[in-house]
Amino acid sequence: MILSPFERMIAKRYLLPGKGEAFIALVAGISVGVVMLSVAMLVVVMSVMNGFRAELLDKIVGLNGHAIVQAYGGRLDNWEEMLAEVRQTPGVVEASPLIEQPLLVTFNGRVEGIFVRGQTQDDLAGLADRVLLGNISELRPDAGNVAIGSRLAQNIGARVGDTITIINPQGRATPFGTSMRQVGYRVAAIFEVGIYDYDEKFVMMPMADAQTLLLMGDSVGMIEVKVTDPDKVGEILAPVQEKVAGRAVVADWKTMNATLFEALQVERVAMFFALSFMVLVAAFNILSSLVMLVRAKSRDIAIMRTMGATRRSLMKIFVTTGFTVGAIGTVAGLGFGFLVLIFRQQIVRAIEIVTGQNLWDPSIRFLSTLPSRTDPLEVVGIVLLALTLSFLATLYPALKAASTDPVEVLRYE
């Protein structure tokens, strides 16, 4: 919408009301503030929700892959042949054997339930960037070393260099019954994945050590698979499911974490829908401020009409005035929202200090820190929503101004 110099001058004048129009200026300022806060809140909430989903997916996939091929009974005997078939499947990026078994660990009289994970040397090396203390390279077959999660280390009071005892209830049979296997392992490294349950339960060790501890021989528990597109993991691994039918089952990340990710998706949609009403409220504020402006400027409008101003010009003036208020609020909201996202962790800590409450408990939230990941397309959608509602809010006041009858207004002047 191109404005003439006259229209631009009047619109600018109405954007900055005079001394006698302080109340109109206040309402317009409130409109800008409400638009700013609504846009900022939408950006912050949607970014946090996206970050929560993305961080969970990244961390879960970092440990479990996009899918697993698990044999009925929990043991793959001829896994080398199956591993080769999986690796040859189009769309599969990586596949590796894995052992995962729930056991018990004890240290200094403390007992905790754990998950023992036996992995290849390459997979263990991938944990190097998540190690807080120690050296993951010390986890070699038959070396008797393990890596444990940071929360587990806190719970049992273990440090790097300490020897923990892992208990396997399924021990060897003896004339006096089955004896539990109790094997001591040295803590060579302490890692932190960032997901509370993993950091609290997982103990990593080389594949050969896990096979020895669990009396599995040369068997493995499952095959971990990573694919090119996580959202199409079912389609990519469909041929694998057909090949291993009757011997094993394929479970992808969607199936294994269906409840969690479906809940996140529902919450994400619900939050966007609810917070969108704030933008609608902001649009009504713009509408009310423009209605007040039209009523206050009825005499000016009548004079401009008698001087030759067209109805189209008046509509353009008031649409521009209201839309500019919405645009200023939208831009300010984007800036404020991104500022909050940058300092989100510091804001959470400050609120915790003031209220004395733990706002981000990792045992409940799964993640150790408040995540954030901004989707550019969502930001564009939020901006378009705010600008569209701001534009629609200007139409009624603009039509009202354009339909002003100068004869009626100036009759008693």
Side-chain angles (χ1 to χ4, degrees):
M1 183 169 59
I2 302 175
L3 300 179
S4 67
F6 161 72
E7 294 165 348
R8 192 179 302 111
M9 179 191 69
I10 299 299
K12 183 179 179 181
R13 171 67 182 83
Y14 286 172
L15 278 171
L16 302 171
K19 294 181 179 179
E21 301 159 347
F23 186 72
I24 297 176
L26 175 63
V27 174
I30 292 174
S31 301
V32 172
V34 175
V35 173
M36 179 189 75
L37 291 176
S38 59
V39 169
M41 188 170 292
L42 269 173
V43 170
V44 170
V45 170
M46 299 309 297
S47 295
V48 169
M49 295 296 294
N50 289 337
F52 202 92
R53 182 184 184 278
E55 286 293 313
L56 273 178
L57 179 58
D58 290 346
K59 293 180 184 297
I60 289 173
V61 167
L63 280 182
N64 296 330
H66 297 122
I68 57 170
V69 181
Q70 188 168 17
Y72 296 111
R75 293 195 178 190
L76 288 173
D77 294 322
N78 300 319
W79 58 272
E80 293 93 344
E81 178 183 348
M82 190 177 294
L83 179 64
E85 292 178 354
V86 173
R87 285 176 172 171
Q88 292 171 2
T89 304
V92 173
V93 176
E94 184 182 343
S96 57
L98 175 69
I99 293 175
E100 185 175 304
Q101 186 73 25
L103 297 177
L104 295 173
V105 65
T106 178
F107 178 75
N108 281 347
R110 301 178 182 177
V111 180
E112 292 283 342
I114 60 168
F115 280 96
V116 167
R117 284 176 66 99
Q119 296 182 291
T120 64
Q121 294 302 115
D122 291 339
D123 289 339
L124 289 172
L127 285 172
D129 58 341
R130 299 175 181 176
V131 172
L132 299 180
L133 298 169
N135 189 350
I136 200 74
S137 63
E138 295 182 18
L139 271 65
R140 297 182 298 273
D142 301 322
N145 293 329
V146 295
I148 66 175
S150 58
R151 300 285 177 178
L152 177 60
Q154 292 176 15
N155 291 344
I156 63 176
R159 296 174 294 181
V160 173
D162 290 338
T163 299
I164 61 174
T165 301
I166 297 180
I167 303 171
N168 180 11
Q170 297 178 347
R172 296 184 184 278
T174 69
F176 303 100
T178 302
S179 62
M180 293 189 299
R181 286 177 58 80
Q182 301 186 42
V183 183
Y185 293 93
R186 174 181 171 271
V187 178
I190 296 176
F191 63 86
E192 184 171 280
V193 176
I195 297 180
Y196 185 88
D197 289 351
Y198 289 0
D199 294 334
E200 186 185 35
K201 299 294 183 184
F202 276 65
V203 174
M204 310 292 190
M205 63 174 60
M207 181 73 67
D209 290 359
Q211 290 171 331
T212 302
L213 173 65
L214 298 171
L215 305 175
M216 295 181 65
D218 191 42
S219 300
V220 299
M222 61 194 76
I223 294 174
E224 179 186 75
V225 184
K226 293 183 179 179
V227 298
T228 52
D229 187 352
D231 292 323
K232 297 181 179 179
V233 61
E235 300 174 19
I236 294 173
L237 295 181
V240 175
Q241 180 67 74
E242 295 177 2
K243 291 179 182 178
V244 302
R247 295 181 294 163
V249 62
V250 178
D252 59 39
W253 66 271
K254 296 179 181 179
T255 304
M256 293 185 288
N257 306 280
T259 303
L260 176 61
F261 284 102
E262 285 177 6
L264 285 175
Q265 182 64 22
V266 171
E267 185 177 359
R268 180 169 170 270
V269 174
M271 291 296 289
F272 183 84
F273 180 76
L275 292 175
S276 296
F277 279 98
M278 284 196 63
V279 183
L280 188 60
V281 171
F284 277 114
N285 274 334
I286 294 174
L287 187 150
S288 62
S289 65
L290 280 181
V291 168
M292 292 175 62
L293 183 63
V294 170
R295 290 181 64 85
K297 299 294 183 181
S298 58
R299 183 172 179 274
D300 294 359
I301 295 170
I303 292 173
M304 286 188 287
R305 290 282 288 121
T306 59
M307 294 176 64
T310 63
R311 295 178 183 271
R312 180 182 177 85
S313 291
L314 290 174
M315 280 199 66
K316 288 165 67 176
I317 289 170
F318 283 94
V319 167
T320 300
T321 302
F323 186 77
T324 302
V325 170
I328 292 173
T330 301
V331 173
L334 289 177
F336 183 59
F338 289 134
L339 190 66
V340 170
L341 290 175
I342 293 172
F343 297 101
R344 64 188 182 281
Q345 207 60 41
Q346 293 87 335
I347 293 172
V348 170
R349 292 197 190 99
I351 296 175
E352 288 178 340
I353 292 172
V354 172
T355 61
Q357 301 294 322
N358 185 5
L359 299 181
W360 194 262
D361 186 353
S363 63
I364 299 174
R365 309 291 185 181
F366 294 101
L367 301 177
S368 301
T369 58
L370 181 64
S372 171
R373 184 169 297 186
T374 303
D375 184 352
L377 292 179
E378 282 189 352
V379 173
V380 171
I382 292 169
V383 170
L384 291 177
L385 174 65
L387 294 181
T388 300
L389 290 178
S390 298
F391 173 76
L392 293 177
T394 65
L395 295 181
Y396 173 74
L399 287 171
K400 193 73 174 174
S403 61
T404 299
D405 185 353
V407 174
E408 290 295 326
V409 174
L410 298 178
R411 174 178 294 177
Y412 302 104
E413 292 292 335

